[in-house]
Amino acid sequence: MKTGKLPESILKRSVLGKIKNRRNEVLKGAGVGEDCAFLALENENGKETGQGEKNAKAGKEPAAIMAVSTETVAFPAQNAAYLAVMAAANNVAAGGGRPVSVMLSVTLPEETEEAWLRELMEEAERCCMELGIQITGGHTEVSSYVKCPVITATVMGAAALGEIPMQPQGTEGLSTKSRKADFEEAEKQMPGILREMAGNHKLDIVMSKWIGLEGTCILAGEKEKELLTRYPVRLVSEAKAQEKYLSVALEAEIALGQGVYAMHDLRYGGVFGALWELSQKTGMGFCVDLKRIPVKQETIEVCEFFGLNPYELLSGGALLMVTADGAGLTDALAEAGISSAVIGSMDCGNDKIVRNGEEIRYLGRPGQDEILKI
């Protein structure tokens, strides 16, 4: 298999297809384009007696909804731990949760020095400070089988059913088992509902910030000397500084308040990969305008230097949002100081269309992320 994210066909056949066991507590689990799981953890009394509905009617505390997501960074970036924590936290935020804590699993090569481990933890803690979350544990080991540090971050957070896009509302008083049934029913019906809405009203795709942010800041940091042979210090410094845009927590919160139908954060495979996964997640096609997709000049220059496609470059920091009022959402994001644009719309078909002037391209399955070429 090739380096990078597992192809969708193999993921379905050899990973998702092997997951058979189910529990009522798992409201939403693994799937293509599903980067965040949701669990309902009912109190022990409600679980033992099966009195979830009666407890709710009596005013007792309902089951808590926990959001969980995992991300791994397995390439030698200076700020790898920061990136791993941020990516997992973004998945939780894009799913409708609020990140609270993170557990880290770190596997180090034999030649790693303790000073590097300290720096790794300082990077992870720096990200936690920015996001307001806490490191609550994990695992660290040294292995002769890895060539560079492998860092896995599992972020946990809180959520409410009414805040999770594409999920049922008004089920706060139900037992865990009843919630599970409602969740599964909503999963089945939502693609049809979205298709019906798209047939009557246009569903806009809004993208926050710019593509290629994560890839640009990584390449600028790791290949600074090479880039400085062509570009001025200011441009390379600006490219490195794109790390400050990597969190999608604020735009996700604003989007939830605006009543979006679906959200998906960009990362591996760039905006093209995210659009493909959004289509798989919603069961709908789309048409986007390449000229409307926001990209910073620093990203264009860095990609040109290395011969990379910015639309397929690691793009943590941007969020796709599906809404019936794209203009209203972009206005709300602008009030919070977040740049965004309506880049296209979703439709009832299966085609995945990217327009560039008069040219039309049908988007295929995402391949290897561009950053892995460097």
Side-chain angles (χ1 to χ4, degrees), residues 25-30 34 36-39 95 164-167 180 183 187 281:
E25 293 90 344
V26 181
L27 300 179
K28 186 177 185 181
E34 300 288 358
C36 184
F38 290 90
L39 290 75
I164 303 171
M166 297 178 62
Q167 300 306 330
K180 172 76 169 180
F183 228 80
E187 291 275 291
K281 180 177 182 177

Side-chain angles (χ1 to χ4, degrees), residues 97-114:
R98 294 177 296 280
V100 174
S101 70
V102 60
M103 300 191 75
L104 293 173
S105 175
V106 180
T107 303
L108 304 171
E110 287 184 322
E111 62 272 18
T112 304
E113 297 181 0
E114 185 179 349

